[in-house]
Amino acid sequence: MQNAAILTVDDDPSVSRSVARDLRRRYGDRYRVIRAESGSTALDALREIKLRGEQVAVLLADYRMPGMNGIEFLEAAMDVFPLARRVLLTAYADTDAAINAINIVDLDHYLLKPWNPPEEKLYPVLDALLEAWLTTPAVTMPETKVVGHRWSARSFAVRDFLARNLVPYRWLRADEAEGARLLAAAGLGEADVPVVITTDGKALARPTETDLAAHVGMATTPASDLYDLAVIGGGPAGLGAAVYGASEGLRTLLVEQRATGGQAGQSSRIENYLGFPDGVSGAQLTDRARRQAQKFNAEMLTTREVVGLERQDPVTLLRFSDDTAVAAHTVVLATGVSYRLLDAPGLADLTGRGVFYGSAAIEAPNCSGEEIYIVGGANSAGQGAVYFSRFARKVHILIRGDDLTRSMSRYLIDQIEGIANIEVHPNTEVVGGEGRDHLERLTLCDRRSGRVATVPTSWLFVFIGAEPRTDWLGDVVARDGNGYVLTGSDLLADGLRPAGWAPSRDPYHLESSMPGVFAAGDVRAGSVKRVASAVGEGAMAVSLVHRYLEGR
């Protein structure tokens, strides 16, 4: 139990050293022994231990200390480590106070000073208390903790960022006992939430995603100024390009603005991906792909936004939002698409507070026993409905069309039809939402009859199509009318190459109007919106990267 401590506090330095010496002699190989010479410094030490995610097994406090006596200290310490065993060190004249402390601070034992010989008067007591503490269920290991408000968009954003980046954490509400203890230990209050306590004990109040990434071990700064291949976007296409590029010896950089996996990474279950007959969650697939890319030494940056491309032969510059840049001989655009916002009155203000875009799987346990609504008729909506049906009492799927056959795979339709607590509402759309601190009601409209109804709910998950993330490209790369990147033969108008095209050849199949810049996955015009095709295009883009590099 090297992460657990025994803390002793006594204002007499000689006594403090003596008890610490006896404790280290017996328990120093299993516990950290910490000594303090005042109640206030001991409480500071406890708060630091708490923030580091470590444990305190036993507290030993002298009764007669100026400023804060032993009983007052143990009472305050209970708020920080309520499960720690408590011992009061007393003189014979203070035994009445020690007995009274049993009721005040639920004292486990009191020891008369001096306790010599420790083999008879100290160690048997501590052995029993440590054995009892070890059998207490709530002994925990260091972990990232998030303290926030239940219906807070900022708190949800922090939790969602950590979950999508596969960082394990424990969620604590600020208005509950353990969350309040952590805030007090960090010297913060409810106004400072969300607060993230990292595994090394650092408290981050209202952190940005860049703050979070830097403190949970994700890289945010490139290690080099020049790469063979820069991949922009960490969805299936980007991860596929990073794996194949790095495995074939290219110095590869993958830049992701928020979290690897993209929309696929949020899928609760993908059952039609080759090689996974029992299905695989988007998080599992993302984790495997990310570890595979890192195994081949691909460098991965998180929370970095690329805001522009600039050709400076023989390289392309990737300009970041903080005015820094890196250069790459080739680039793969794999920025994917984002869910469209549901344009209905009242919903914008409730985003993250009952209205969620994508599966938001971290909220599933909170939906237990409740009725939830899902908007959308494609595979992502179907996968979400199947997943949430395990928790919610009833799942309502709202679609604008007559049925699901137009945009959902048959295997998902069959699953939905076989789940009793899923109901599909055709020709139905959301026309409004209301609530004070969170979503409380939805207004639905039947598109055929025009009839409007209001339903009570705190949960709306939206999957209504997508749009490419390409506005940042401006005019440097040709796009179609919907913003998708044009590549290959789509760039040839009446057999003519794009304006400003310098090479003497036609663009390669996945190459954009900027030579050496390729597009893969959902961001590319004409792509098949499936995980397998995105991974395949990422791999294909790397083979074309090699052709480009060899032909220069």
Side-chain angles (χ1 to χ4, degrees):
M1 296 300 299
Q2 289 297 326
N3 282 330
I6 299 173
L7 184 143
T8 174
V9 52
D10 195 306
D11 66 303
D12 185 331
S14 63
V15 175
S16 176
R17 286 193 295 269
S18 178
V19 68
R21 179 199 63 218
D22 288 343
L23 291 173
R24 290 192 180 101
R25 183 188 305 162
R26 175 84 167 195
Y27 307 105
D29 61 334
R30 290 166 287 159
Y31 296 87
R32 290 194 304 118
V33 176
I34 301 170
R35 71 182 184 94
E37 295 182 1
S38 72
S40 60
T41 56
L43 283 176
D44 289 340
L46 289 180
R47 294 186 183 106
E48 184 177 342
I49 294 168
K50 183 77 171 182
L51 291 175
R52 286 201 302 264
E54 298 172 1
Q55 293 296 315
V56 173
V58 177
L59 300 163
L60 297 95
D62 181 60
Y63 172 63
R64 292 196 178 190
M65 291 189 295
M68 178 186 295
N69 67 35
I71 295 175
E72 292 169 337
F73 164 73
L74 291 173
E75 188 175 14
M78 287 175 65
D79 291 332
V80 185
F81 286 102
L83 298 176
R85 302 298 168 171
R86 293 172 287 278
V87 178
L88 194 67
L89 301 176
T90 70
Y92 184 82
D94 299 321
T95 53
D96 287 341
I99 293 171
N100 291 334
I102 293 174
N103 296 321
I104 296 173
V105 296
D106 192 21
L107 196 68
D108 293 291
H109 208 281
Y110 69 88
L111 289 171
L112 293 176
K113 299 189 294 185
W115 54 85
N116 290 325
E119 288 78 8
E120 293 180 14
K121 297 184 178 180
L122 178 64
Y123 297 154
V125 172
L126 267 292
D127 287 345
L129 294 178
L130 289 170
E131 182 178 356
W133 180 80
L134 284 170
T135 60
T136 303
V139 177
T140 58
M141 297 300 291
E143 60 185 347
T144 298
K145 305 176 187 70
V146 180
V147 184
H149 293 305
R150 174 68 193 89
W151 295 111
S152 161
R154 288 181 68 99
S155 296
F156 168 76
V158 166
R159 293 161 56 211
D160 187 54
F161 175 82
L162 292 174
R164 292 185 61 188
N165 281 286
L166 307 179
V167 177
Y169 69 90
R170 186 157 66 99
W171 161 246
L172 300 162
R173 288 174 53 172
D175 57 357
E176 295 181 343
E178 182 65 10
R181 287 193 196 102
L182 276 176
L183 290 179
L188 301 170
E190 289 196 28
D192 300 304
V193 301
V195 172
V196 175
I197 311 296
T198 64
T199 54
D200 60 357
K202 186 173 180 62
L204 308 176
R206 301 170 71 87
T208 65
E209 290 184 349
T210 302
D211 293 333
L212 285 176
H215 284 90
V216 297
M218 291 184 278
T220 59
T221 304
S224 175
D225 296 326
L226 177 64
Y227 296 87
D228 296 319
L229 169 64
V231 181
I232 305 175
L239 287 168
V243 167
Y244 280 90
S247 68
E248 294 172 11
L250 298 177
R251 290 172 297 170
T252 301
L253 173 71
L254 185 145
V255 183
E256 169 54 47
Q257 183 176 349
R258 191 155 192 271
T260 51
Q263 286 191 12
Q266 300 180 68
S267 296
S268 54
R269 203 77 181 163
I270 303 170
E271 297 193 61
N272 59 351
Y273 189 71
L274 185 67
F276 292 89
D278 298 321
V280 61
S281 73
Q284 290 172 323
L285 192 62
T286 298
D287 181 48
R288 294 182 182 191
R290 183 163 58 186
R291 286 190 286 114
Q292 194 172 15
Q294 291 173 328
K295 172 184 134 179
F296 293 120
N297 297 317
E299 185 180 335
M300 310 185 82
L301 297 186
T302 307
T303 67
R304 295 304 300 271
E305 181 183 8
V306 181
V307 296
L309 296 181
E310 181 180 336
R311 187 67 183 172
Q312 291 188 1
D313 282 329
V315 298
T316 298
L317 289 183
L318 283 67
R319 298 204 175 275
F320 296 116
S321 57
D322 62 356
D323 293 329
T324 61
V326 295
H329 292 293
T330 58
V331 176
V332 172
L333 300 173
T335 50
V337 293
S338 57
Y339 288 113
R340 293 192 182 98
L341 300 182
L342 186 58
D343 186 17
L347 296 186
D349 293 336
L350 297 170
T351 300
R353 298 187 292 130
V355 177
F356 305 96
Y357 288 86
S359 67
I362 59 172
E363 294 292 344
N366 297 319
C367 299
S368 180
E370 301 196 27
E371 295 201 20
I372 74 166
Y373 288 77
I374 289 177
V375 178
N379 279 6
S380 55
Q383 291 161 352
V386 171
Y387 179 71
F388 279 102
S389 69
R390 305 173 192 168
F391 302 88
R393 179 167 60 87
K394 188 69 174 287
V395 177
H396 301 271
I397 301 178
L398 313 178
I399 58 174
R400 294 167 60 91
D402 294 328
D403 55 45
L404 296 170
T405 57
R406 179 180 176 186
S407 53
M408 190 177 292
S409 296
R410 186 70 240 177
Y411 81 92
L412 270 174
I413 296 174
D414 292 341
Q415 283 188 31
I416 289 170
E417 290 175 348
I419 299 175
N421 65 332
I422 298 180
E423 181 178 354
V424 179
H425 301 265
N427 301 291
T428 303
E429 61 182 332
V430 176
V431 295
E434 297 177 332
R436 287 176 294 181
D437 64 336
H438 69 283
L439 177 67
E440 297 173 351
R441 293 172 297 280
L442 286 176
T443 302
L444 310 180
C445 178
D446 186 315
R447 290 164 52 84
R448 294 165 300 186
S449 66
R451 184 170 59 87
V452 174
T454 299
V455 295
T457 185
S458 296
W459 308 97
L460 177 67
F461 300 90
V462 182
F463 306 81
I464 54 168
E467 50 194 11
R469 304 170 182 172
T470 57
D471 289 345
W472 61 275
L473 287 169
D475 297 328
V476 300
V477 171
R479 296 174 289 153
D480 69 10
N482 294 316
Y484 292 93
V485 176
L486 294 169
T487 59
S489 60
D490 290 339
L491 292 167
L492 305 177
D494 298 325
L496 299 177
R497 294 167 183 157
W501 181 262
S504 58
R505 57 171 177 81
D506 289 346
Y508 294 131
H509 176 54
L510 300 180
E511 194 170 18
S512 73
S513 60
M514 180 181 287
V517 175
F518 301 82
D522 291 359
V523 73
R524 188 180 68 84
S527 66
V528 178
K529 305 300 188 282
R530 289 290 185 269
V531 175
S533 62
V535 173
E537 288 194 4
M540 184 188 300
V542 172
S543 69
L544 297 174
V545 162
H546 283 295
R547 289 179 61 184
Y548 171 83
L549 293 173
E550 292 165 358
R552 285 190 304 173

